[in-house]
Amino acid sequence: MRLMQIRTEDGGRAVVATVGPAKNERSYIVPGYVTVYDLARAAIAAKSGIVSLVEAAGEGAAVDRAALLASGRVLAPIDHPDEAHLLITGTGLTHLGSASARDAMHKTAAVAEETLTDSMKMFRMGIEGGKPAAGKVGVQPEWFFKGDGALLVGPGEPLTAPSFAQDGGEEPEVAGIYIISDDGLPFRIGFALANEFSDHVMERVNYLYLAHSKLRECAVGPELLVGPLPDDVRGRSRILRGGEVIFDEPFLSGEANMSHTLENLEHHHFKYDFFRRPGQLHVHTYGTATLSVAFGIKTEPGDVFEIESEAFGLPLRNALAFAPEETVAVTAL
């Protein structure tokens, strides 16, 4: 099952469910729920899975998902009534990458530890300890904070870089979507495509600028996959300029292509009680191995990022924009 949030013709909101085999899917309004947040809270209260709750609600009016997306009525698949209570975070150096990258990693493994970069050391730590035995805790991954719900961007909306940004680059990823129950327990709602928008030029100046480079908007959607994440997720990451494709490469995700288990990534995020406050939502991106900047692409305002994967239904598209320059001064009180 996949879920979407849409804006109705009368200005309200609704949740759309898509069910059935790939060649015979049907999409319909879920009666009784206007947000996925409400649906998730109801599932926790009922001690029920989301799929069971949606099935019990019955099927409302049939809808055309592609038409809704084209009309601009599809929202991000998750949001919070108070955007400060939605946190956007992520992990890096979690994916194995291409066969050539893995081969290079194995060759480098013979080099003395002190000659390796911090990034390579972190990557090796994940390879060696990111998939622990059942019941064990593995090595913690690289972790970063992007922002709160104010930086969440839905399908079709621009990804806006600040005026001082040195780059506006895409990162095609899978994000886990989580909610915290009233008694402080984390529940996974599902998974969605994400563009973990970053400033790779700034990051390359010095890896200590990573924190700065990640304080950017993040696009999510259009659909939210309920249930397990496929072990092998395959998709495409594209950039279009003036309607022409200037970048088109595959991206891989899922545990078969990762150096960490999802369980290990989840543990090392939610081990902090600050991230287990009742009612909180989390959009947690799992990392990527495909970046256009690595292929020499320099993005420009108006470029359109397109991320798609069959497992997630409709593609995620967002155009690049830059905010106007501004001067910020602090006033003493």
Side-chain angles (χ1 to χ4, degrees):
M1 176 180 287
R2 299 193 305 275
L3 300 175
M4 289 197 318
Q5 296 192 128
I6 66 167
R7 188 179 297 107
T8 59
E9 291 182 345
D10 61 3
R13 292 178 56 156
V15 175
V16 170
T18 298
V19 298
K23 293 184 178 180
N24 194 29
E25 290 181 334
R26 64 185 189 279
S27 301
Y28 58 87
I29 301 293
V30 179
Y33 300 96
V34 295
T35 69
V36 171
Y37 179 72
D38 292 339
L39 180 59
R41 286 182 60 83
I44 293 173
K47 298 182 178 179
S48 166
I50 287 179
V51 172
S52 297
L53 208 63
V54 170
E55 291 174 345
E59 298 189 13
V63 299
D64 183 330
R65 293 176 300 123
L68 287 168
L69 184 63
S71 69
R73 289 169 51 193
V74 177
L75 307 170
I78 191 67
D79 56 0
H80 195 289
D82 180 353
E83 58 192 19
H85 293 289
L86 186 154
L87 299 182
I88 308 173
T89 55
T91 57
L93 300 173
T94 54
H95 283 65
L96 299 174
S98 66
S100 60
R102 291 199 300 275
D103 182 59
M105 182 274 296
H106 290 310
K107 290 176 181 176
T108 308
V111 179
E113 184 74 16
E114 60 269 18
T115 67
L116 298 179
T117 65
D118 287 335
S119 292
M120 182 57 75
K121 290 177 183 178
M122 180 69 74
F123 181 64
R124 282 182 56 187
M125 288 168 63
I127 292 290
E128 295 166 2
K131 292 186 173 181
K136 302 293 184 180
V137 174
V139 65
Q140 63 183 1
E142 176 194 20
W143 182 96
F144 56 84
F145 176 71
K146 285 192 69 68
D148 64 18
L151 297 181
L152 185 69
V153 171
E157 298 180 38
L159 278 166
T160 304
S163 62
F164 53 81
Q166 297 175 269
D167 175 45
E170 87 298 339
E171 293 204 15
E173 306 196 18
V174 172
I177 312 298
Y178 304 89
I179 185 170
I180 309 302
S181 67
D182 289 342
D183 51 0
L185 297 176
F187 288 81
R188 187 194 313 116
I189 301 173
F191 305 92
L193 289 178
N195 187 336
E196 197 270 288
F197 188 55
S198 301
D199 188 334
H200 302 109
V201 173
M202 178 183 292
E203 180 185 349
R204 282 180 168 181
V205 171
N206 188 304
Y207 76 95
L208 294 176
Y209 280 161
L210 175 72
H212 283 283
S213 74
K214 295 297 188 181
L215 291 174
R216 302 289 186 270
E217 294 181 330
C218 181
V220 180
E223 303 188 64
L224 188 155
L225 176 66
V226 180
L229 182 70
D231 195 47
D232 183 20
V233 175
R234 295 173 179 264
R236 307 290 301 186
S237 178
R238 302 184 184 91
I239 299 177
L240 291 84
R241 180 173 297 164
E244 299 293 326
V245 176
I246 63 167
F247 175 77
D248 185 354
E249 289 291 329
F251 80 91
L252 304 175
S253 193
E255 288 190 357
N257 304 298
M258 297 172 69
S259 55
H260 288 259
T261 62
L262 295 184
E263 182 179 7
N264 194 53
L265 299 182
E266 290 171 340
H267 166 78
H268 285 296
H269 180 67
F270 290 110
K271 68 184 181 185
Y272 296 100
D273 56 10
F274 178 76
F275 296 144
R276 302 194 308 271
R277 292 179 291 172
Q280 206 172 42
L281 287 175
H282 292 259
V283 174
H284 190 61
T285 60
Y286 298 137
T288 189
T290 303
L291 301 171
S292 65
V293 69
F295 290 81
I297 300 294
K298 181 173 176 55
T299 58
E300 299 177 358
D303 287 352
V304 175
F305 303 116
E306 180 179 271
I307 301 170
E308 68 173 351
S309 173
E310 184 178 352
F312 292 91
L314 297 171
L316 175 62
R317 297 189 185 97
N318 303 89
L320 172 62
F322 279 81
E325 290 188 19
E326 61 177 340
T327 300
V328 179
V330 175
T331 302
L333 295 176

